[in-house]
Amino acid sequence: MEDESGLKLYKALQETVDRVRKEGADYVILVGHLGTNGALPKWSSGAIAAHTYNIDAVIDGHSHEQYEPPHKVINSIGKEVLVTQTGTKLQALGQLVIQEDGTLSSTLIKKLPAADSKVTALVARENKRFDAILNQPVGETLVTLTSDDPTTGKRRVRNGETNLGDLVADAYRFVLNTDLSIVNGGSIRKTIKPGVFSYNDLLEAFPFINMCTVVEATGQQIIDALEVGVVNYPEESGGFLHVSGLTYTIDSSVPSGVVKDVKGGFVEVKGPRRVKDVMINGQPVDLKKIYKVGGTSYILKDGGSGMAMFKGCNITLDAVMTDVDAIMEYVQNHLDAKIKEGYEDPYGAGRIKIQ
């Protein structure tokens, strides 16, 4: 049986679909950012299609899978629904066509036409205007600052500690002058190789221009955030939290008890917790104490990745600088523009332990 939050989601979506049909829509196509791999089953695009009706097709993303057409799901009244996803990094383009007889078909276009020379020249000309800014050196790293597992080559920042995650968390804590800081793994997108690195290298690793924010949060809110971060562990989660000024242990034998609302926001934890032994600056977390927490507006203000527990917290610094600017300041003013000591281990400094 589906849980209550899943049923509420399907009901709310069905009401919207019914309304637009009554308003005269001939087709209803759901454009989602849900995915399958790494998503909770009830929030996947396939589950949405299966538990509703009168949706003709789902164009999905998020998890970077490539569905070979025709990829279909049987909906709640026994009819087929097209579910499409094209992969990542322009591996393919998706084409959804309404045929003359009213049926829908989908195609993956994997052989892209040659680039238009005029467009290519225009892009190159515009990019050149920013070369001086983008290519300015920020500092030098003597180690690989990784987003991936160096042993397997698989992405790690969404389910495990890395030295790059540690570095960014440290940047937030020291630059924003907080008790601790948290960084969601989904915001880290690329490894930084040894050598001199530029402003553009940082932008490629942190492409979202997240704004740095500081809130006052209780120890209880902090451990709730950590619990949301490991909701899918050992599978990936964009909300997996890298930390500074804080350490914690994940007990992977405990099923996640996180309860979310229909929008995916945190509500509560039912039963035992997966996160244990939370220490803040060497001391056991005090659930009632107020701590200064550094991070981004996406997590601490907007409730991104389900972090609704921080909504309503007192904001002491609101969107004061970008994440990239904070990292630049940390590297240049706190590390003398050279990264090595404390970041030698690609698996991090042992702030997150697995039990």
Side-chain angles (χ1 to χ4, degrees):
M1 175 179 285
E2 296 291 338
D3 63 29
E4 185 177 351
S5 62
L7 293 174
K8 286 182 178 179
L9 170 68
Y10 307 143
K11 181 179 179 182
L13 179 58
Q14 189 61 62
E15 289 174 350
T16 301
V17 173
D18 291 343
R19 186 179 71 251
V20 298
R21 285 288 189 180
K22 288 180 181 178
E23 291 174 354
D26 295 315
Y27 296 88
V28 175
I29 297 173
L30 173 65
V31 179
H33 192 248
L34 301 166
T36 301
N37 184 27
L40 290 176
K42 66 184 176 184
W43 307 119
S44 71
S45 54
I48 297 293
H51 287 83
T52 55
Y53 59 91
N54 269 341
I55 293 175
D56 298 290
V58 179
I59 299 174
D60 197 23
H62 180 62
S63 54
H64 299 172
E65 291 133 354
Q66 191 174 95
Y67 300 155
E68 290 293 339
H71 183 85
K72 297 181 178 180
V73 172
I74 303 301
N75 70 11
S76 63
I77 58 173
K79 293 187 176 181
E80 292 183 337
V81 181
L82 273 173
V83 180
T84 67
Q85 193 177 174
T86 61
T88 185
K89 298 176 182 176
L90 286 178
Q91 293 173 346
L93 293 179
Q95 184 179 60
L96 184 65
V97 177
I98 302 175
Q99 304 292 343
E100 290 186 2
D101 63 0
T103 61
L104 299 181
S105 66
S106 65
T107 306
L108 288 180
I109 302 173
K110 297 183 179 181
K111 290 186 177 181
L112 303 180
D116 184 285
S117 59
K118 291 183 179 179
V119 173
T120 300
L122 174 62
V123 171
R125 188 164 60 249
E126 291 300 309
N127 283 340
K128 192 171 182 61
R129 294 172 54 199
F130 301 98
D131 279 351
I133 295 174
L134 295 176
N135 293 330
Q136 64 176 303
V138 172
E140 181 181 11
T141 176
L142 304 181
V143 299
T144 298
L145 297 170
T146 187
S147 61
D148 302 324
D149 187 315
T151 302
T152 65
K154 293 182 178 180
R155 183 168 59 189
R156 179 174 167 86
V157 285
R158 296 180 183 224
N159 59 1
E161 184 180 352
T162 76
N163 57 356
L164 182 53
D166 285 356
L167 177 78
V168 183
D170 287 345
Y172 292 169
R173 181 163 69 98
F174 284 99
V175 172
L176 300 174
N177 190 28
T178 60
D179 298 313
L180 64 123
S181 67
I182 56 178
V183 179
N184 64 305
S187 67
I188 303 172
R189 293 303 175 107
K190 190 175 181 181
T191 289
I192 298 175
K193 296 179 180 179
V196 175
F197 60 94
S198 67
Y199 185 60
N200 190 59
D201 291 324
L202 289 181
L203 288 173
E204 289 181 349
F206 306 93
F208 300 106
I209 316 299
N210 282 316
M211 300 302 294
C212 292
T213 294
V214 176
V215 302
E216 294 179 329
T218 65
Q220 182 66 59
Q221 289 169 314
I222 292 166
I223 68 168
D224 287 343
L226 296 173
E227 198 72 25
V228 170
V230 300
V231 66
N232 292 339
Y233 188 86
E235 299 300 323
E236 292 189 331
S237 172
F240 183 88
L241 293 178
H242 301 261
V243 294
S244 178
L246 182 153
T247 60
Y248 66 98
T249 298
I250 304 169
D251 187 345
S252 57
S253 68
V254 176
S256 176
V258 169
V259 177
K260 297 182 179 182
D261 60 25
V262 294
K263 295 183 178 180
F266 172 80
V267 175
E268 63 178 331
V269 177
K270 287 188 176 180
R273 288 176 175 257
R274 312 187 85 186
V275 172
K276 300 178 179 179
D277 305 325
V278 179
M279 306 286 284
I280 297 179
N281 294 313
Q283 299 295 320
V285 60
D286 183 336
L287 300 184
K288 295 183 179 180
K289 182 177 177 178
I290 300 293
Y291 297 92
K292 287 176 65 178
V293 182
T296 64
S297 296
Y298 174 71
I299 295 294
L300 297 176
K301 183 179 177 180
D302 302 332
S305 294
M307 303 294 179
M309 71 290 295
F310 294 118
K311 289 190 174 182
C313 284
N314 182 44
I315 299 174
T316 61
L317 289 175
D318 188 0
V320 291
M321 64 177 66
T322 69
D323 50 3
V324 169
D325 287 340
I327 297 165
M328 287 178 61
E329 182 173 333
Y330 178 65
V331 170
Q332 295 177 346
N333 297 337
H334 293 264
L335 301 180
D336 295 325
K338 199 172 291 288
I339 302 170
K340 181 180 180 181
E341 187 174 354
Y343 303 105
E344 298 92 339
D345 190 337
Y347 295 102
R351 302 173 188 182
I352 305 171
K353 294 181 171 60
I354 310 298
Q355 182 176 306

